[in-house]
């Protein structure tokens, strides 16, 4: 199980990447900053960065507009 | 993005697909001479100094590295005999023509050239000569989007010029061209308004120009579709107000989002600024739009917009029809009606109509079901003519609630329902965000001094999505900092959009990315450059707090500005109707179970709604207490004399207002 933003839970699947997580959470926003267990993931690595089970992920949406 | 394994000078390097080769070489600390390349401009590939040898499928060729994207496994050599010979030849030619220009001398040194065989009549000894690098021409096009300067003449007569070799009055004087000029051939001869330190202003302004030119297309697309880019974002996150804020998403959003505006509506195919020279240029227009109603029916007009708020107002009225929204936009502008207040008020009227609280005898025969675009437009025309039901609607939601309460034979339940669904605070209609799941945003709206406008605080992502401000204290701190920061722009008359509608590429690496620290600093440097006064966060917050507290005191003088004025209608806090609860049953049931520890099983929707309401209203109240405290206000939302002292605004006449209020308690 993965915890997102210290609150939401997502079932972990083997080989899960950051991109898979974004899709599962419907995080379609552009200005997102992802850390996995505190490590900042480069935008370009979303397809390849593997998330391990029990990871704590922060998906910080940097607001614009408003 | 896929990685590609390449070899650079026989060393293996892993590269993201599409990366420009020059960037790869720079990252490897390999020195490559360049002339036309500029880090903030699109690759040009015209000087050929950056050439290297590349082997693909056993074929070797020379390529210009600055505009060569790596798309396949290649082998690269940067120092072969052919490359060195080629570069030296170019360097000699450049040095022959411009022997004293430092930028050229540097290139020559880099290529191992100290003398040139090519001196001629063309040789220009001026150390600040134009070296035809193209930077200025591209900056004018890419930063300022103006295309004022370009090259004129051919071959040896090629030179930079404005049209017809005259000073073009369309030049906006943005100085982008001079900023990127590597030789000083372009000079700034005048600085309007006599700023104390124009260079400081320019250095920071140009950073934003560069970010707009290089990052906007991948970030907010302000140049392409303006603020309408967030229609689909709000819909995806359940934040788009649909049918008087009952819902946050709608399946027909694609009919009113940035995509359709770009594809079928926005004309001119160019970015447009609300002032000439803005590099963000988010204003958009629809030209030759044929009106279907009203005094200009049948005429072709230009519509200024629509922006996000107007499209969101459309969904709020159930209009998933861009023609109708564009016409609503045009007539609101023409009549001087705010599209937000107009749309939110009509959405309220529509819900009252659908709920049977008003009928056609009240609306003068207008069918005001959600989505009735003809009736919406007719209401606007009536408002402007001062006729019919439009006169009533023109007074706004607060007036309508009172008026209907007094003139229609309503039950207490109906009156309470109108209070719940009438989305106004302090008499102003709420702007177009559905904020039921963000407590901080509810307070951001409820506490905004001028009424529920999102420009004081937009905390929905931080709160609801990111869970960055989970405690009351966190929310209070956000509701301290952001309203003060965001209203600080207003004090200086500065646009907010270049704060967070583009963010620096390295913003993520900062300690507080939500604040966009680098851009906050741009504003401080702008003020410093104009006035000489140095700012920091504390000074900025205090400047803003002084005005904020004065405004609050003025409200108090007018008999307002107290706690009872700071509440959101319940529609902004939680589900008022069964249909809302049931549309997000999973969310609300989860809250009952996990937060309140109440098992929702076996309970009716009405019972569950009541429990959720009690909890959410209590949360609102508790947060209000903490925010007042953080702001230095008493539990009734009135600034304390101590706070006025702290801010240096404890003038006797202001203290007297607070003292008088205290006596009245
Ligand atoms: S000052 Fe600005 S608009 Fe004028 S020529 Fe230079 S870049 Fe273009
Ligand atoms: S004026 Fe300056 S920036 Fe423009 S082409 Fe000449 S050297 Fe380059
Ligand atoms: S730097 Fe001019 S062609 Fe690459």
């Amino acid at each position: 199980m993965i915890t997102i933003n210290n609150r939401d839970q997502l079932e972990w699947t083997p080989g899960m990447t950051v991109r898979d997580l974004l899709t599962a959470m419907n995080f379609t926003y552009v200005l997102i900053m992802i850390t996995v267990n505190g490590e900042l993931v480069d935008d370009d690595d979303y397809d390849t960065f593997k998330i391990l089970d029990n990871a704590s992920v922060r998906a910080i949406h940097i607001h614009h507009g408003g | 993005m896929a990685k590609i394994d390449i070899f650079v000078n026989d060393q293996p390097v892993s590269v993201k697909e599409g990366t420009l080769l020059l960037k790869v070489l720079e990252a490897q600390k390999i020195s490559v001479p360049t002339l036309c390349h500029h880090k903030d401009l699109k690759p040009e590939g015209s000087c050929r100094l950056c050439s290297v040898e590349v082997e693909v499928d056993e074929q070797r060729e020379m390529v210009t590295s600055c505009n060569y994207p790596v798309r396949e496994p290649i082998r690269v050599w940067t120092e072969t005999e052919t490359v060195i010979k080629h570069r030296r030849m170019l360097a000699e030619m450049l040095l022959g023509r411009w022997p004293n220009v430092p930028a050229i001398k540097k290139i020559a040194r880099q290529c191992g050239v100290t003398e040139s065989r090519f001196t001629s009549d063309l040789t220009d000894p001026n150390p600040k000569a134009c070296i035809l690098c193209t930077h200025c021409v591209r900056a004018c096009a890419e930063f300022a989007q103006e295309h004022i300067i370009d090259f004129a003449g051919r071959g040896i007569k090629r030179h930079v010029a404005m049209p017809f070799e005259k000073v073009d009055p369309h030049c906006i004087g943005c100085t982008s061209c001079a900023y990127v000029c590597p030789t000083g051939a372009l000079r700034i001869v005048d600085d309007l308004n006599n700023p104390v330190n124009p260079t400081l202003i320019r250095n920071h302004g140009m950073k934003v120009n560069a970010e707009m030119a290089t990052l906007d297309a991948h970030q907010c697309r302000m140049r392409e579709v303006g603020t309408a880019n967030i229609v689909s974002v709000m819909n995806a996150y359940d934040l788009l107000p649909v049918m008087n804020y009952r819902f946050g998403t709608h399946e027909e959003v694609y009919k009113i989002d940035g995509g359709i505006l770009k594809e079928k509506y926005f004309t001119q195919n160019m970015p447009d600024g609300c002032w000439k020279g803005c590099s963000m240029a988010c204003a958009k227009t629809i030209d030759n739009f044929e009106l279907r109603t009203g005094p200009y029916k049948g005429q072709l007009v230009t519509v200024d917009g629509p922006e996000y708020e107007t499209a969101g107002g459309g969904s709020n009225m159930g209009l998933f029809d861009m023609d109708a929204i564009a016409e609503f936009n045009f007539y609101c502008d023409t009549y001087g009606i705010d599209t937000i207040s107009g749309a939110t008020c009509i959405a309220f009227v529509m819900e009252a109509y659908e709920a049977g609280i008003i009928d056609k005898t009240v609306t003068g025969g207008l069918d005001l079901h959600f989505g009735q675009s003809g009736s919406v437009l007719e209401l606007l025309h009536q408002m402007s003519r001062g006729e019919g039901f439009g006169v009533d609607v023109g007074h706004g939601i607060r007036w309508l609630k009172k008026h209907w309460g007094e003139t229609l034979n309503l039950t207490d339940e109906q009156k309470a329902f109108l209070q719940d669904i009438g989305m106004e605070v302090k008499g102003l209609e709420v702007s177009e965000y559905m904020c039921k799941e963000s407590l901080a945003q509810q307070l951001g709206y409820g506490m905004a001094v001028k009424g529920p406008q999102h420009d004081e605080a937009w905390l929905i992502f931080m709160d609801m999505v990111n869970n960055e401000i989970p405690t009351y204290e966190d929310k209070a701190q956000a509701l301290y900092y952001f309203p003060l920061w965001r209203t600080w722009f207003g004090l200086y008359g500065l646009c907010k959009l270049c704060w967070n509608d583009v963010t620096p590429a390295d913003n993520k690496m900062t300690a507080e990315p939500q604040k966009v620290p680098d851009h906050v600093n741009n504003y401080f440097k702008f003020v410093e450059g104009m006035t000489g006064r140095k700012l920091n966060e504390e000074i900025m917050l205090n400047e803003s707090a002084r005005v904020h507290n004065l405004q609050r005191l003025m409200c108090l003088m007018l008999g307002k500005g107290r706690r009872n004025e700071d509440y959101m209608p319940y529609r902004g806090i939680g589900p008022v109707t069964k249909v809302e609860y049931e549309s997000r049953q999973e969310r609300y049931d989860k809250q009952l179970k996990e937060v309140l520890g109440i098992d929702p099983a076996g309970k009716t929707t009405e019972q569950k709604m009541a429990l959720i309401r009690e909890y959410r209203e209590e949360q609102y109240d508790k947060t209000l207490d903490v925010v007042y405290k953080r702001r230095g206000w008493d539990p009734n939302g009135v600034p304390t004399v101590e706070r006025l002292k702290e801010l240096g605004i404890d003038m006797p006449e202001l203290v007297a207002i607070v003292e008088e209020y205290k006596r009245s308690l």
Side-chain angles (χ1 to χ4, degrees):
Chain A
M1 188 68 78
I2 294 173
T3 307
I4 298 149
N5 292 340
N6 296 328
R7 182 189 57 202
D8 306 324
Q9 303 279 304
L10 181 69
E11 203 64 57
W12 178 79
T13 49
M16 183 183 242
T17 62
V18 168
R19 178 79 57 209
D20 296 333
L21 175 134
L22 293 174
T23 310
M25 295 300 291
N26 197 24
F27 286 162
T28 53
Y29 189 58
V30 215
L31 296 175
I32 291 190
M33 160 180 167
I34 300 283
T35 63
V36 177
N37 295 328
E39 183 190 344
L40 182 66
V41 183
D42 193 293
D43 294 21
D44 293 319
D45 295 336
Y46 287 177
D47 289 318
T48 47
F49 193 103
K50 299 265 190 308
I51 302 174
L52 299 180
D53 197 6
N54 300 317
S56 168
V57 177
R58 305 274 351 221
I60 301 298
H61 294 56
I62 311 289
H63 64 277
H64 76 274
Chain B
M1 201 172 289
K3 294 250 176 160
I4 298 179
D5 293 323
I6 66 170
F7 284 89
V8 177
N9 295 336
D10 297 323
Q11 296 299 314
V13 182
S14 185
V15 175
K16 284 169 208 152
E17 187 182 345
T19 312
L20 294 172
L21 185 51
L22 181 62
K23 271 209 164 149
V24 178
L25 302 178
E26 282 172 350
Q28 298 299 308
K29 308 257 183 294
I30 294 172
S31 156
V32 179
T34 61
L35 176 60
C36 65
H37 169 74
H38 186 285
K39 69 177 179 39
D40 298 323
L41 296 169
K42 293 201 180 86
E44 164 91 351
S46 60
C47 73
R48 310 201 67 81
L49 263 171
C50 65
S51 296
V52 294
E53 276 198 275
V54 163
E55 187 182 293
V56 190
D57 295 337
E58 297 181 11
Q59 296 276 344
R60 264 201 194 205
E61 58 174 346
M62 288 267 278
V63 302
T64 46
S65 60
C66 67
N67 63 350
Y68 184 97
V70 178
R71 299 212 189 281
E72 54 204 322
I74 51 172
R75 300 183 83 90
V76 185
W77 290 274
T78 63
E79 301 288 337
T80 62
E81 208 176 305
T82 322
V83 169
I84 291 172
K85 202 170 147 201
H86 168 85
R87 281 185 198 157
R88 289 176 68 101
M89 176 61 81
L90 288 173
E92 262 198 81
M93 287 162 72
L94 291 167
L95 194 64
R97 185 156 180 191
W98 298 293
N100 298 320
V101 173
I104 295 293
K105 291 207 277 190
K106 185 174 162 215
I107 289 169
R109 271 200 307 279
Q110 221 177 339
C111 300
V113 171
T114 47
E115 304 259 341
S116 172
R117 289 165 289 163
F118 305 117
T119 45
S120 72
D121 289 353
L122 278 179
T123 300
D124 183 347
N126 181 0
K128 292 189 172 175
C130 169
I131 57 175
L132 303 174
C133 72
T134 74
H135 291 176
C136 55
V137 172
R138 286 147 65 204
C140 189
E142 293 172 30
F143 287 8
Q145 304 172 90
E146 287 293 340
H147 305 272
I148 300 286
I149 40 173
D150 208 333
F151 288 106
R154 292 188 176 199
I156 57 170
K157 294 200 172 137
R158 186 170 158 89
H159 64 285
V160 171
M162 286 188 180
F164 309 109
E165 309 282 347
K166 290 198 180 113
V167 174
D168 186 340
H170 298 98
C171 165
I172 54 178
C174 69
T175 72
S176 300
C177 48
Y179 185 78
V180 295
C181 178
T183 72
L186 291 176
R187 277 178 309 118
I188 299 152
V189 291
D190 190 17
D191 266 308
L192 298 176
N193 301 324
N194 297 316
V196 173
N197 184 348
T199 309
L200 187 66
I201 298 175
R202 194 164 292 121
N203 287 345
H204 285 269
M206 290 299 158
K207 277 203 302 183
V208 178
N209 282 354
E211 284 163 6
M212 282 310 299
T214 55
L215 302 173
D216 177 56
H218 319 288
Q219 292 188 356
C220 307
R221 299 185 299 129
M222 299 298 279
R223 287 181 169 185
E224 196 185 323
V225 286
T227 57
N229 76 79
I230 60 167
V231 175
S232 49
V233 176
M234 293 301 105
N235 188 66
Y237 285 83
D238 208 18
L239 299 170
L240 183 75
V242 173
M243 298 176 190
N244 198 29
Y245 306 88
R246 281 189 289 184
F247 315 109
T249 183
H250 196 278
E251 60 191 12
E252 289 179 82
V253 71
Y254 65 91
K255 294 181 178 172
I256 62 165
D257 67 6
I260 194 156
L261 280 167
K262 164 89 179 151
E263 193 188 326
K264 297 214 169 105
Y265 287 85
F266 289 150
T267 44
Q268 299 177 2
N269 281 327
M270 58 180 281
D272 179 12
C274 45
W275 59 278
K276 222 165 152 42
C278 174
S279 60
M280 183 162 280
C282 65
K284 298 286 162 280
T285 51
I286 305 171
D287 290 312
N288 294 320
F289 181 77
E290 186 174 344
L291 296 169
R292 292 176 301 177
T293 69
Y296 302 110
K297 182 177 173 178
Q299 291 193 31
L300 299 181
V301 298
T302 294
V303 182
D304 185 8
E307 294 213 35
Y308 166 73
E309 295 290 336
T310 308
S315 58
N316 218 358
M317 297 183 288
L319 302 184
F320 292 91
D321 169 357
M322 193 43 90
D323 279 346
I325 291 175
E327 186 144 346
F328 176 80
N329 189 148
F330 174 83
Y331 275 117
C332 278
D333 289 354
T334 304
Y335 296 149
I337 296 169
D338 165 38
T339 57
I340 298 176
S341 292
T344 298
C345 184
I346 294 172
F348 161 71
V349 172
M350 288 172 143
E351 187 167 355
Y353 183 85
E354 289 206 346
I357 291 178
I358 55 168
D359 58 19
K360 283 189 178 170
T361 60
V362 175
T363 69
L366 289 177
D367 173 359
L368 280 167
H369 281 98
F370 284 108
Q372 289 295 334
S373 57
S375 301
V376 167
L377 293 166
E378 179 51 27
L379 259 185
L380 279 189
H381 302 315
Q382 288 184 4
M383 277 186 218
S384 87
R385 293 196 303 260
E387 280 175 24
F389 186 49
V391 176
D392 286 0
V393 177
H395 281 101
I397 294 176
R398 183 168 278 200
W399 186 91
L400 285 171
K401 287 189 294 194
K402 186 163 179 285
H403 177 67
W404 290 343
E406 287 165 0
T407 55
L408 304 177
N409 203 9
L410 302 183
T411 62
D412 287 347
E413 202 182 330
Q414 284 174 318
K415 285 181 191 167
F417 178 69
L418 288 180
Q419 292 301 332
D420 281 348
I421 67 161
M423 287 289 275
E424 59 86 14
V425 183
K426 302 181 175 76
L428 183 74
E429 282 68 23
V430 176
S431 71
E432 307 305 339
Y433 296 97
M434 207 287 282
C435 61
K436 284 185 197 127
E437 303 315 312
S438 169
L439 179 56
Q441 182 60 29
Q442 293 158 20
L443 280 114
Y445 270 145
M447 300 179 78
V449 179
K450 69 164 150 320
Q453 239 293 338
H454 54 280
D455 64 351
E456 267 201 22
W458 199 94
L459 300 170
I460 302 185
F461 278 162
M462 279 182 84
D463 190 28
M464 159 184 153
V465 185
N466 303 339
N467 193 26
E468 278 176 285
I469 43 175
T471 66
Y472 297 126
E473 285 71 22
D474 295 334
K475 290 185 208 311
Q477 180 54 26
L479 282 162
Y480 177 75
Y481 177 84
F482 285 101
L484 291 181
W485 163 239
R486 294 175 72 124
T487 50
W488 182 85
F489 303 112
L491 307 186
Y492 283 87
L494 300 172
C495 172
K496 170 212 146 271
L497 301 192
C498 41
W499 165 48
N500 73 348
D501 280 86
V502 64
T503 52
D506 61 357
N507 187 50
K508 289 180 179 184
M509 315 300 283
T510 62
E512 295 179 287
Q514 297 289 10
K515 288 186 178 175
V516 198
D518 192 53
H519 285 186
V520 171
N521 190 42
N522 283 344
Y523 285 86
F524 292 172
K525 295 299 176 201
F526 172 75
V527 172
E528 187 181 333
M530 281 309 290
T531 67
R533 275 187 65 239
K534 285 188 197 301
L535 292 180
N536 59 31
E537 182 172 301
E538 193 190 343
I539 297 174
M540 176 278 289
L541 287 173
N542 282 339
E543 279 184 349
S544 196
R546 277 197 279 278
V547 176
H548 200 230
N549 280 273
L550 276 175
Q551 288 172 332
R552 193 74 181 180
L553 287 184
M554 283 181 210
C555 295
L556 191 65
M557 271 169 71
L558 296 169
K560 298 175 188 293
R562 299 169 200 217
R563 189 178 185 111
N564 63 345
E565 291 277 334
D566 288 343
Y567 283 92
M568 271 296 268
Y570 188 63
R571 172 55 56 77
I573 298 176
V576 174
T577 57
K578 269 175 79 174
V579 62
E580 285 163 85
Y581 190 101
E582 283 161 5
S583 73
R584 290 283 177 264
Q585 175 153 352
E586 200 188 328
R587 173 189 295 161
Y588 298 125
D589 281 0
K590 192 170 168 215
Q591 185 166 60
L592 280 176
K593 209 169 173 172
E594 293 179 5
V595 183
L596 298 176
I598 297 171
D599 184 1
K603 295 209 164 28
T604 64
T605 302
E606 284 83 353
Q607 287 169 328
K608 291 190 290 187
M609 279 167 62
L611 288 164
I612 286 280
R613 182 166 188 156
E614 192 185 339
Y615 169 70
R616 290 190 174 203
E617 288 184 334
E618 190 191 324
Q619 292 288 300
Y620 190 100
D621 255 327
K622 281 189 181 157
T623 317
L624 205 50
D625 285 335
V626 186
V627 182
Y628 283 155
K629 200 165 162 216
R630 178 67 188 85
R631 290 185 179 182
W633 296 354
D634 77 2
N636 201 15
V638 174
T640 58
V641 173
E642 293 69 42
R643 180 63 174 148
L644 300 186
K645 274 194 188 132
E646 215 172 84
L647 292 170
I649 50 169
D650 54 332
M651 293 76 125
E653 53 275 46
L654 299 181
V655 172
I657 300 169
V658 180
E659 298 297 352
E660 193 185 317
Y661 146 77
K662 279 200 207 151
R663 278 195 298 276
S664 73
L665 289 177

